[in-house]
Amino acid sequence: MLTDHDKQEIQAELARTPSRRGALIEALRVVQRRAGWVSNADVVEVAAFLGLPVSQAEDVATFYSMIFRQEVGRHVILLCDSVSCWVNRADALLTHLRSRLGIRLGQTTADGRFTLLPAACLGACDRGPVMKVDEDLHTHLTAEKIDRILESYP
Amino acid sequence: MKIYIENRRFDLTDPSVNLLEACLSLGFDVPYFCWHPVLRSVGACRQCAVKVFKDEADTRGRIVMSCMTAPAEGMRVSVNDDEAREFRAKVIEWLMLNHPHDCPICDEGGECHLQDVTVMAGHVRRQSRFPKRTHRNQDLGPLVNHEMNRCIQCYRCVRFYADYAGGRDVGVQGCHDGVYFGRPSPGPLESEFSGNLVEVCPTGVFTDKSLKRHYTRKWDLQTAPSVCVHCGLGCNTFPGQRYGTLRRVRTRYHREVNGYFLCDRGRYGYEFVNSPRRILQALLRQGDNALAQVSAEEAIRLAKSLLSSGKCIGLGSPRATLESNFALRTLVSPSRFFHPLAVSQHLLSGSSLSLLRRFPLASLRDVSQSTAVFLLGEDVSNTAPLLALALRQAAVRAPRLAKAALLKIPAWHEAALRTAVQEEKGPFFLAATGPTRLDDLAAAPYRAAPGDLAALGFAVAHALDPAAPAVPNLPPAAAELAERIAASLKSAAAPLIVSGPSCGSEALLHAAANVAAALGKTNPQARLCLTAPECNSVGLALLPGGNLADVLRALRDGSADTLIVLESDLYRHADAALVDEIFTAAKHVIVIDSLANATTARAELVLPAATFAESSGTLVNNEGRAQRSYAVCPPKAPVQESWRWLTALTPNVSWPRWEDILAAMAVSSGDFRDVTTLGPAADFRLVGQKIPRQPHRYSGRTAMTAHIDVREPAPAADLDTPLAFSMEGSPLNPPGPLIPRYWSPRWNSDQGVHKFQIEVAGPLQGGDPGKRIIEPSSEPAGYFAPTPPASEGDGEILFTPAWHVFGSEELSVHSPGIAELAPRPYVALGPVDAGRLGVRDGAPVTVTLAGRTLALPARILEAIPPGAAALPAALADLPFFSLPARGSVSLAAPAAPEGRP
């Protein structure tokens, strides 16, 4: 269900775009900010609120990897696996993260605390390897640093 | 503009095309996927690569995508350059990485553009050893089959369905290697143009579900050029037949009419031909009221004796050919020829014809190129679907033209134009009695009762030309809208007014005429477009005759006692009480028809008529274009063309061949003087040979009837046309009207249509089929006076007809797929009246109308104006009502639903 707050935020976004379609991505992000992910029912509701066909909303909602279409944990870890991070041994960090969390890429820990996802690039190639947890960027990663970082996300 | 291809010089007559179109028009086989002659270029597939050289000295050249390249003066192009060929072979190899190796079980096999291009581009050996990606398919309803694994991501489906046809339920989901074309969730496709996906898709993702139930390869189908019988637009079709049943219908290109597309009613309605309700024998009513089979000779003898009183009257048909109507009129004499229409429908038919004779008319191509549209009252998506598709193109075209000129974007550059234009629409004014599927094109659709819509139209005409009569007491909102519409139409280079008879209002037609007349005074480019209810409504109107009330009068006053009904179910055209009275008053009733219906049930003698699939004939479409439809297969005796039955009953007339009756028609009336020249004469031959209806790869001919007789029968003779029911004949491309299918070497799919055109999307070689037989008069058109809306009946609610593309047409509902999509009877109310009556959506209500009481579920539709209700028109499960008419709706539902007698 879209909350009144969601609707206000989407309405504000509508005021900034020339077409209703232009507000679609932001509307989906509004839902995701509140609920953590975007369900099929959310897509239908967002489309109805914007007066767009469901198929248009679904097209956009399935195109972007950062619009989550399955339930995610409380915190989402995006570990960069692109070239600069890879040459800085990001693959070893992935192994570390996987064993530490006991999950594979694309999975969520049993306690619902973390979801581990790959990212193609986080735009901080000069400080690799990098990862993002929720909205925070963490750079110059090592295994020890990762352990410390995870502690700060209860 | 001169360009060089493979070092040969060519002069481009039209430099506004892209290089791919230029190459194809000049006969070079450049492979492509995402380009389409109407959807134009987006540069997505990279398959149409060619090499372009700077000048004669340039030996290296550079690879370009021909669909995204404008030809330039002196440009040197190579299609066969080694590097370009290698590039194309690699591209097809990539596209084929995930394509299943399932051609033998794929419905597209043998007419697959992907097969053609793979062969053309020279990819023969798979090198990839990785697993192919797979998808889950969706059930898309009864018309289109979905098999996503075959997809090569050309995006044509969504570009046609959503971008071109305005469909809202198909999109493209996912990204990178997981792109998925389909609906958000499984379910029937909503667009009435969904079947075009079958032809637009270059491979077997979208295939014809009706064909699947009786599958036949293209090379095994006997086909002929035909004309759709499911509405009045006269779209050109290729029906295909095998083993005695019709298997499918494909689009036959006609530049002025349907272009490259068909609606789903036209594509899937054909199965009525195979219906178990077909009348295949002459039938005579017995003492016990049952119908018993009689021989054709016996039937003719009986019919002649029934007609011997000399007091016979004939009822023509808006869905029978011109020939059959003419033969009936000749048999009974013109003064005893009538139309099977109620008084109101008959009036509308006559009014429409008089307008067609007065104004310059728009072909569907003209419609799509008009720059401002006023759609007055007609729900074209349901009554003339391809007209709706053309109107949609008109609405998106105006801003495109402006942006293309401003930003110097070539017209073929779809990707750039779409980005530049976004959702912008051209001037499009829509006035309707309820919701329509074109509502998204109009800024603010105007909803009102038919009489008020007419008032708006009259006011627009008055605003355009003060000499046109004004409308007294017009509400201020309507007056203001009329001013805006008039201003927009006046400033447009090519304004168009669209209306039609389906609202049941003659005033509406008069209003449209006034707008056309007012526009025509200052702008010779102004066009009128009227729909016609059935495939030969205009043809019937050209043969004047009275209505059903006149028929009853003639039967009652003793001037007639015998009735001969040609291909129409009178119960669909008039109130059952009137039709019952006619049948009771008639001493004898002879019916000629192809399907058993309520009218054949009242006949004393029934003669089996050939359908469009088994007969050649002429149909006149909504713009007065007479077109020939050729038999796909011979009728199985005793079934024969209605005009042949009628000729057999007519003394002193002998028309053994089609051209004999055409010659008689041509001299009978000035309107018909061209009917003999609508296509090549029966003795036309290509290098001494007939044109084969069967492809040269037609298989199993010797085995098909081996279970009956091991000796192969001689092909049926066709004395009527230059076509043969055979695979023998000329392999050359026949002239436009005679093309039986699209095939040419290397082009097994319908994409090869450009091999039959003078240039891509241009006229057909040897002439476009058909000819306008109604020319606008050169005299200045006068104005009609606004008439206050006449409302029949008492009651607080005005009932208007709601037409349904699936369900409102008589023949197509006998196709299982169409029947599945047809609505159940209902009554639609606006929110105001629903609230007042305490009716909720889906609640049972009682409708009292024209002396009948119906129990129906209610639908609540936002767009129904207060005081009005909509009743589905011409639905098989509802009796005929002459609408608009007044009646009432109440919440309680005491009476049981009433069916057709």
Side-chain angles (χ1 to χ4, degrees):
Chain A
M1 274 292 279
L2 289 185
T3 63
D4 288 343
H5 185 250
D6 290 348
K7 288 178 183 171
Q8 274 169 23
E9 280 193 281
I10 297 172
Q11 206 66 56
E13 207 52 52
L14 268 174
R16 307 196 310 128
T17 60
S19 73
R20 305 186 74 77
R21 212 171 158 175
L24 197 44
I25 298 175
E26 281 310 315
L28 293 167
R29 289 189 53 190
V30 164
V31 174
Q32 181 157 311
R33 270 204 297 277
R34 170 178 50 78
W37 65 294
V38 179
S39 69
N40 288 348
D42 289 331
V43 172
V44 172
E45 272 202 60
V46 165
F49 185 73
L50 291 176
L52 294 171
V54 176
S55 90
Q56 252 176 40
E58 181 72 14
D59 294 355
V60 171
T62 53
F63 181 82
Y64 295 100
S65 55
M66 296 297 169
I67 302 280
F68 304 134
R69 297 304 306 279
Q70 290 175 27
E71 199 162 354
V72 291
R74 285 200 298 285
H75 307 290
V76 176
I77 304 170
L78 294 167
L79 180 69
C80 177
D81 62 1
S82 204
V83 177
S84 299
C85 292
W86 179 73
V87 299
N88 283 307
R89 306 296 309 274
D91 51 343
L93 297 180
L94 175 61
T95 313
H96 177 74
L97 262 173
R98 279 175 53 175
S99 65
R100 168 83 205 241
L101 298 173
I103 53 173
R104 285 184 294 174
L105 279 174
Q107 293 183 333
T108 301
T109 53
D111 59 1
R113 186 170 164 200
F114 289 111
T115 296
L116 179 59
L117 295 173
C121 182
L122 295 171
C125 302
D126 55 327
R127 284 164 284 165
V130 300
M131 72 175 185
K132 227 179 119 183
V133 183
D134 299 338
E135 295 301 310
D136 316 321
L137 181 70
H138 301 279
T139 61
H140 301 296
L141 294 178
T142 61
E144 299 72 42
K145 197 169 174 187
I146 284 181
D147 290 346
R148 275 203 310 280
I149 292 168
L150 293 187
E151 291 308 316
S152 60
Y153 293 93
Chain B
M1 180 188 286
K2 67 171 187 297
I3 64 169
Y4 298 86
I5 306 178
E6 311 300 6
N7 288 320
R8 279 166 62 199
R9 183 191 153 148
F10 295 96
D11 290 301
L12 290 187
T13 45
D14 180 6
S16 72
V17 298
N18 62 46
L19 195 52
L20 173 60
E21 291 164 351
C23 287
L24 292 174
S25 293
L26 293 169
F28 291 92
D29 289 347
V30 182
Y32 61 83
F33 287 115
C34 66
W35 173 84
H36 180 282
V38 167
L39 308 176
R40 309 300 288 266
S41 304
V42 292
C45 76
R46 320 315 280 173
Q47 190 61 62
C48 65
V50 297
K51 213 167 208 185
V52 169
F53 299 85
K54 237 180 3 212
D55 50 41
E56 255 172 296
D58 182 1
T59 52
R60 295 190 55 181
R62 62 193 171 91
I63 285 179
V64 299
M65 296 309 128
S66 57
C67 78
M68 299 298 275
T69 305
E73 180 64 36
M75 181 183 258
R76 307 187 81 87
V77 182
S78 174
V79 177
N80 297 324
D81 173 86
D82 284 343
E83 230 172 41
R85 290 171 72 104
E86 200 185 324
F87 184 101
R88 295 197 298 262
K90 283 292 168 210
V91 170
I92 190 73
E93 187 171 356
W94 294 328
L95 290 177
M96 291 292 282
L97 277 186
N98 286 307
H99 190 78
H101 205 155
D102 68 345
C103 302
I105 55 112
C106 174
D107 285 3
E108 194 83 355
E111 54 178 325
C112 174
H113 186 58
L114 180 60
Q115 278 181 334
D116 287 352
V117 169
T118 306
V119 173
M120 221 184 270
H123 169 57
V124 289
R125 204 166 56 85
R126 180 178 173 83
Q127 299 182 66
S128 168
R129 57 195 164 77
F130 299 104
K132 297 178 181 180
R133 62 105 180 85
T134 55
H135 288 293
R136 232 173 283 167
N137 300 319
Q138 293 182 323
D139 182 349
L140 299 177
L143 307 182
V144 178
N145 195 67
H146 194 221
E147 175 50 72
M148 255 308 290
N149 289 347
R150 297 178 183 139
C151 180
I152 58 161
Q153 294 87 37
C154 72
Y155 282 73
R156 269 182 165 200
C157 52
V158 68
R159 284 169 57 211
F160 170 78
Y161 192 96
D163 299 352
Y164 189 85
R168 293 166 62 89
D169 59 328
V170 167
V172 46
Q173 297 148 25
C175 58
H176 50 84
D177 61 342
V179 172
Y180 188 90
F181 297 88
R183 283 170 45 91
S185 56
L189 292 170
E190 288 167 9
S191 168
E192 62 274 24
F193 304 109
S194 69
N196 292 299
L197 292 176
V198 173
E199 292 182 38
V200 165
C201 175
T203 181
V205 177
F206 298 99
T207 51
D208 183 334
K209 219 180 224 181
S210 75
L211 174 67
K212 209 173 206 35
R213 286 196 301 272
H214 38 229
Y215 185 69
T216 303
R217 294 262 177 235
K218 179 182 179 181
W219 68 67
D220 279 339
L221 284 171
Q222 175 166 292
T223 50
S226 186
V227 173
C228 181
V229 296
H230 301 295
C231 88
L233 294 177
C235 296
N236 288 205
T237 58
F238 287 129
Q241 177 267 0
R242 187 164 172 100
Y243 294 125
T245 58
L246 211 53
R247 301 289 163 123
R248 73 162 181 200
V249 165
R250 298 282 277 211
T251 309
R252 180 162 67 103
Y253 170 81
H254 193 303
R255 191 165 81 120
E256 293 294 332
V257 186
N258 54 306
Y260 290 84
F261 304 117
L262 289 180
C263 76
D264 289 352
R265 186 157 93 191
R267 183 181 305 271
Y268 295 104
Y270 71 91
E271 285 183 275
F272 79 90
V273 172
N274 309 333
S275 162
R277 297 172 74 108
R278 274 298 295 273
I279 301 163
L280 300 171
Q281 299 290 340
L283 302 167
L284 180 69
R285 188 141 332 256
Q286 306 295 299
D288 61 358
N289 211 28
L291 285 166
Q293 193 177 316
V294 290
S295 71
E297 298 71 32
E298 179 67 3
I300 289 172
R301 196 190 59 73
L302 284 164
K304 278 184 170 165
S305 76
L306 295 182
L307 298 176
S308 60
S309 72
K311 295 211 281 187
C312 172
I313 54 180
L315 277 164
S317 168
R319 65 167 158 86
T321 59
L322 217 45
E323 288 81 350
S324 295
N325 279 299
F326 178 77
L328 176 61
R329 194 161 173 265
T330 308
L331 169 65
V332 297
S333 88
S335 62
R336 290 170 165 274
F337 181 77
F338 292 82
H339 294 181
L341 302 175
V343 178
S344 52
Q345 267 66 20
H346 185 255
L347 189 70
L348 291 165
S349 154
S351 288
S352 294
L353 179 63
S354 73
L355 299 195
L356 296 187
R357 290 195 193 278
R358 280 177 55 198
F359 295 104
L361 304 172
S363 68
L364 289 189
R365 181 157 173 267
D366 298 332
V367 168
S368 68
Q369 298 192 344
S370 56
T371 56
V373 175
F374 182 24
L375 175 51
L376 185 56
E378 188 74 10
D379 180 7
V380 291
S381 302
N382 286 309
T383 60
L386 255 284
L387 174 55
L389 193 62
L391 285 168
R392 186 169 286 283
Q393 307 324 311
V396 300
R397 187 168 170 270
R400 281 171 172 242
L401 286 177
K403 278 280 192 312
L406 183 71
L407 303 171
K408 299 195 168 48
I409 301 172
W412 46 261
H413 204 311
E414 175 65 19
L417 279 175
R418 251 179 73 75
T419 309
V421 169
Q422 296 287 325
E423 320 260 285
E424 211 181 313
K425 302 280 192 299
F428 194 97
F429 299 94
L430 191 160
T433 55
T436 79
R437 289 194 291 282
L438 292 182
D439 288 351
D440 62 308
L441 301 179
Y446 179 74
R447 325 266 188 204
D452 298 329
L453 297 181
L456 175 71
F458 285 119
V460 169
H462 178 68
L464 282 164
D465 176 10
V471 183
N473 309 325
L474 196 67
E480 187 270 334
L481 177 62
E483 290 291 342
R484 266 194 297 136
I485 296 173
S488 178
L489 293 177
K490 197 162 206 164
S491 64
L496 174 74
I497 164 94
V498 182
S499 193
S502 74
C503 273
S505 163
E506 197 190 23
L508 204 61
L509 291 175
H510 288 171
N514 278 14
V515 176
L519 283 170
K521 271 193 174 174
T522 54
N523 187 347
Q525 295 307 313
R527 291 283 180 278
L528 173 71
C529 178
L530 297 181
T531 63
E534 295 191 58
C535 64
N536 201 26
S537 289
V538 175
L540 176 67
L542 288 170
L543 294 163
N547 58 42
L548 286 174
D550 301 328
V551 169
L552 183 59
R553 251 193 308 279
L555 289 167
R556 287 220 166 127
D557 71 17
S559 60
D561 59 7
T562 303
L563 206 57
I564 178 157
V565 182
L566 169 67
E567 298 185 43
S568 65
D569 178 2
L570 305 188
Y571 288 99
R572 289 184 61 88
H573 291 297
D575 193 79
L578 171 66
V579 180
D580 284 340
E581 280 183 81
I582 288 174
F583 285 133
T584 312
K587 218 187 280 174
H588 306 290
V589 177
I590 304 171
V591 176
I592 309 178
D593 212 338
S594 53
L595 292 180
N597 59 37
T599 294
T600 60
R602 300 294 302 258
E604 180 175 344
L605 181 65
V606 181
L607 303 176
T611 64
F612 78 94
E614 305 119 21
S615 60
S616 300
T618 310
L619 299 171
V620 185
N621 80 351
N622 67 313
E623 35 142 3
R625 188 183 302 271
Q627 302 187 98
R628 282 187 182 177
S629 177
Y630 292 86
V632 182
C633 53
K636 215 184 232 168
V639 176
Q640 60 178 342
E641 295 88 340
S642 297
W643 64 264
R644 286 209 151 95
W645 283 115
L646 293 161
T647 306
L649 304 178
T650 315
N652 309 320
V653 161
S654 168
W655 296 322
R657 291 170 309 165
W658 186 18
E659 56 189 38
D660 300 322
I661 186 170
L662 288 174
M665 285 161 64
V667 296
S668 73
S669 151
D671 288 328
F672 300 146
R673 64 179 179 276
D674 289 329
V675 294
T676 53
T677 55
L678 296 172
D683 60 1
F684 172 86
R685 296 291 181 271
L686 268 182
V687 224
Q689 291 180 292
K690 289 195 114 187
I691 293 135
R693 284 180 173 90
Q694 297 166 359
H696 61 292
R697 288 170 178 156
Y698 195 79
S699 71
R701 198 173 80 169
T702 52
M704 266 171 137
T705 54
H707 62 297
I708 299 162
D709 186 341
V710 77
R711 288 162 299 191
E712 186 191 337
D718 184 350
L719 301 178
D720 291 332
T721 80
L723 295 157
F725 296 110
S726 164
M727 58 196 286
E728 280 86 21
S730 171
L732 302 178
N733 282 3
L738 291 177
I739 299 167
R741 81 194 67 80
Y742 300 130
W743 184 90
S744 63
R746 311 224 277 176
W747 298 85
N748 295 294
S749 84
D750 293 352
Q751 299 289 320
V753 56
H754 62 81
K755 295 285 183 192
F756 294 81
Q757 295 163 332
I758 289 173
E759 60 190 13
V760 165
L764 291 169
Q765 294 163 19
D768 283 332
K771 195 171 184 181
R772 281 250 182 94
I773 58 171
I774 300 175
E775 289 298 330
S777 70
S778 49
E779 286 167 34
Y783 289 113
F784 291 101
T787 39
S791 55
E792 282 178 37
D794 310 318
E796 56 197 348
I797 301 268
L798 182 71
F799 286 84
T800 56
W803 295 85
H804 287 274
V805 57
F806 306 124
S808 293
E809 195 270 326
E810 180 179 3
L811 300 174
S812 57
V813 291
H814 297 288
S815 273
I818 302 284
E820 195 180 322
L821 295 171
R824 304 289 309 141
Y826 68 91
V827 58
L829 294 168
V832 174
D833 290 295
R836 185 175 53 80
L837 296 165
V839 173
R840 268 194 263 168
D841 200 46
V845 296
T846 304
V847 168
T848 311
L849 181 64
R852 286 171 185 271
T853 311
L854 302 172
L856 296 170
R859 281 192 196 174
I860 298 173
L861 299 177
E862 204 66 44
I864 305 274
L871 206 56
L875 225 50
D877 301 330
L878 275 178
F880 174 90
F881 287 104
S882 182
L883 300 180
R886 291 200 163 271
S888 65
V889 178
S890 59
L891 189 53
E898 190 183 337
R900 181 92 70 67

